[in-house]
Amino acid sequence: MAEWLYEAGIGECRAALIDDGRIIIAEVEPKEDGPRAGAVMNGRLRANRIVDLEDGDQALLDRAPDRLPEGAALRVIITRSALSEPGKVKRAKARAVAPDTALTPGETLRERISATEYPVTTLCPHDPDALETAGWSELLEQAQTGIWPFPGGALHISLTPAMTLIDIDGQAPVAELAVAGMQAAAQAICCLGITGSIGIDVPTLNDRALRALAATAMTDRLERPYEATAINGFGFMQIIRPRHRASLMETLHYDRTGSAARALLRQAQRSGLTGALTLVSAPRIMQKFEQHPHWLRLLSQQVGGTVSLRADASLSTGSGYVCTF
């Protein structure tokens, strides 16, 4: 039976649904990423449908409540958490709710996976690395590169401000490639938590029945709700899935330094080293640690010694290491 593996790391929580030894769904939840989807909060209405939330963040209302003046207090539910994009952060989305709606911080990653039908196993730093055994690092690399191999070809997944684009490429016969590619695309969409508008470039199929077969290979594997077009004559299909939070790809792409810093903390936690440690990484990663000194304090408590930082300009963003000198 499938099961969730859950890990409460420093700076982020991680979860993976494992079935038959492989990862079916992977999620990373940064712990300091603004209000969660589903949170009910108090706020104050500003111009242009912006709400100042009680925690200091802001959200954009889907529409302003009728006859509510600027500066008025109101209660909202967060329908989509804030999203990072190149050069900017998109505010969380919200809608107004009744003033007596119960306040809630929204479900955590742990609470969301606990509500599913699958059991949850919590991993500790001193436990065997079950996530790694299931292919955690390889999956993160696929999410970072956007290359998702499948028998006979590979998907090339790209993030754009408008939508996530998936291109199916390979050497197999066109009809086989289209069906296998659409099956792989459904797998990638579910595994990486890709939501919102998704465009899929399918190998061109002149036969309408083959296009319908390829489309079914995708839609039969996607959980509802979603909306989907048919594959048009140019080989393009669009899918829209409800969007509540960033996908794993977006988390890794749009916060590369934060993701790399938290991965280095995980490496230190699982290194088996104790006492004084030194984290060595690129200078930009050092800056992320300096912005979050409590991360290092938590690591210090866990390893039982001081944690030092050493910048090495020769290292790439994701190639830091841990040592005792």
Side-chain angles (χ1 to χ4, degrees):
M1 180 180 178
E3 68 167 339
W4 286 101
L5 301 180
Y6 174 80
E7 188 174 83
I10 298 175
E12 69 181 19
C13 298
R14 311 169 190 98
L17 181 62
I18 311 296
D19 188 18
D20 196 23
R22 65 189 186 95
I23 299 175
I24 303 301
I25 300 174
E27 293 203 43
V28 170
E29 180 185 68
K31 293 182 179 178
E32 299 159 10
D33 228 16
R36 291 188 286 266
V40 177
M41 310 175 70
N42 290 320
R44 196 165 294 277
L45 183 63
R46 299 302 183 197
N48 301 316
R49 296 186 287 121
I50 293 173
V51 176
D52 289 337
L53 300 172
E54 57 189 345
D55 66 352
D57 288 298
Q58 290 186 327
L60 181 66
L61 283 176
D62 57 354
R63 66 180 183 86
D66 295 336
R67 298 182 297 278
L68 197 65
E70 184 178 337
L74 75 167
R75 189 161 289 185
V76 301
I77 184 170
I78 303 299
T79 57
R80 193 214 65 205
S81 59
L83 299 175
S84 295
E85 289 185 350
K88 66 176 181 178
V89 175
K90 296 175 71 172
R91 293 183 180 92
K93 286 187 176 181
R95 63 177 168 81
V97 295
D100 59 352
T101 303
L103 297 172
T104 173
E107 287 187 324
T108 63
L109 174 58
R110 175 59 190 254
E111 290 168 337
R112 285 192 286 112
I113 65 174
S114 296
T116 69
E117 61 185 295
Y118 305 108
V120 178
T121 298
T122 300
L123 306 178
C124 298
H126 57 270
D127 292 332
D129 196 344
L131 281 177
E132 197 61 35
T133 300
W136 183 256
S137 292
E138 291 84 353
L139 178 63
L140 294 187
E141 182 178 359
Q142 288 177 249
Q144 289 167 336
T145 63
I147 299 175
W148 188 277
F150 63 87
L155 307 178
H156 297 267
I157 309 173
S158 305
L159 299 174
T160 79
M163 64 172 60
T164 301
L165 294 175
I166 301 177
D167 178 57
I168 299 172
D169 188 30
Q171 301 300 319
V174 172
E176 294 178 19
L177 180 63
V179 171
M182 292 296 268
Q183 292 173 342
Q187 180 189 17
I189 288 169
C190 294
C191 186
L192 303 177
I194 300 172
T195 56
S197 184
I198 306 165
I200 305 174
D201 187 19
V202 186
T204 302
L205 299 169
N206 295 323
D207 187 293
R208 184 174 297 178
L210 287 178
R211 293 202 297 269
L213 179 65
T216 301
M218 157 70 72
T219 55
D220 279 355
R221 289 165 174 78
L222 282 184
E223 289 188 9
R224 294 188 180 276
Y226 65 83
E227 296 179 18
T229 67
I231 300 174
N232 65 25
F234 298 100
F236 189 79
M237 179 180 188
Q238 185 173 5
I239 295 172
I240 300 176
R241 303 181 73 210
R243 189 158 170 75
H244 302 301
R245 58 189 61 85
S247 69
L248 179 59
M249 279 192 71
E250 289 169 322
T251 298
L252 296 176
H253 275 255
Y254 296 146
D255 186 17
R256 290 181 183 272
T257 56
S259 296
R262 295 187 291 267
L264 185 55
L265 292 170
R266 183 178 193 270
Q267 180 183 335
Q269 287 181 284
R270 289 193 162 275
S271 66
L273 300 174
T274 57
L277 299 183
T278 300
L279 306 183
V280 186
S281 65
R284 61 193 309 180
I285 308 302
M286 296 292 104
Q287 295 174 5
K288 184 63 68 170
F289 286 130
E290 291 166 358
Q291 294 168 5
H292 300 277
H294 58 289
W295 289 356
L296 301 183
R297 288 196 295 269
L298 288 172
L299 179 60
S300 177
Q301 292 169 9
Q302 291 185 16
V303 301
T306 59
V307 177
S308 304
L309 301 175
R310 186 164 77 235
D312 186 340
S314 68
L315 295 176
S316 62
T317 297
S319 59
Y321 62 92
V322 183
C323 62
T324 57
F325 55 86

